[in-house]
Amino acid sequence: MMPGQDDQQDARWLAEAVELAVSNVAAGGGPFGALIVRDGAVLATGVNAVTTTNDPTAHAEVVAIRTACKTIGDFRLTGCVLVTSCEPCPLCLAAALWARVERVLYAADRYDAARGGFDDLAFYELFATPRAEWPMAVTNIAVTAPTAPFAAWQAKPDRVDY
C-alpha cells in the first residue's frame, strides 16, 4: 500500500459520513452520520434518528452498528472501523466497545457538538464527576441473590460469550 493511502481512504469515508449527516438534516433528522467499514468496504451506514423515531438511542453510530451486525450475522464487529461525522458520545463509544470495533474515526469533536446544541461534552464531563453530584440518581439497592443471573449465565454450558 502506498504511503498515505490509508489516510486518503479515511478522509473519503469521513467525507461520506459528513455528507450523510448533512443529508439527514435536510430529511428532518439530526446532524450525525456514520459508517461501519470492514476490509475497505462499507458494511452499513446510519444516521441520527432520535427525533424521527422518538428513540433516544437511535444515534447514527448505534444505527450503523445495529445494521452492520444484522448484515454480517454477528454481534461482534471485529476488524471493523466506525467512521462518524462527530466524535462519538459516551453512549456510542460504549456501543463501539461492546461491538469490538477495532478503530474509530471522527470529523467534528465534542466541543463542536456542544456549539451545535448537543450534550456530548456535558455527558463526558458528567462521567468525570462523582455520581453523588449527578442530576439523576443512580442507586445500588441490596436484594437477595443479586448475582443469581450471573451464576445462571456461568452455569449455562451453551452460552455465547461476549
Side-chain angles (χ1 to χ4, degrees):
M1 195 168 286
M2 300 290 293
Q5 189 172 356
D6 284 345
D7 292 343
Q8 291 172 359
Q9 184 58 60
D10 290 352
R12 284 191 291 271
W13 289 333
L14 282 165
E16 186 175 341
V18 169
E19 181 52 39
L20 278 171
V22 171
S23 296
N24 196 49
V25 170
F32 302 93
L35 316 170
I36 299 291
V37 177
R38 184 168 70 182
D39 298 327
V42 176
L43 286 179
T45 63
V47 293
N48 182 282
V50 170
T51 59
T52 58
T53 63
N54 294 317
D55 178 353
T57 68
H59 292 200
E61 298 90 338
V62 173
V63 171
I65 288 168
R66 289 174 180 163
T67 303
C69 288
K70 286 179 186 173
T71 298
I72 66 170
D74 196 343
F75 60 88
R76 293 169 296 242
L77 295 176
T78 307
C80 290
V81 180
L82 170 61
V83 182
T84 181
S85 62
C86 187
E87 179 180 9
C89 72
L91 168 76
C92 296
L93 194 56
L97 287 165
W98 277 110
R100 308 302 192 248
V101 168
E102 181 177 306
R103 187 164 67 111
V104 176
L105 304 173
Y106 63 90
D109 64 21
R110 63 184 83 171
Y111 301 97
D112 298 317
R115 285 188 292 277
F118 292 87
D119 291 332
D120 303 50
L121 176 60
F123 290 152
Y124 272 105
E125 291 172 350
L126 178 66
F127 285 123
T129 63
R131 280 195 186 168
E133 297 175 25
W134 286 21
M136 173 184 73
V138 179
T139 308
N140 177 251
I141 303 289
V143 297
T144 303
T147 61
F150 299 114
W153 175 256
Q154 290 295 317
K156 185 173 173 51
D158 61 341
R159 71 178 181 265
V160 177
D161 289 327
Y162 290 42

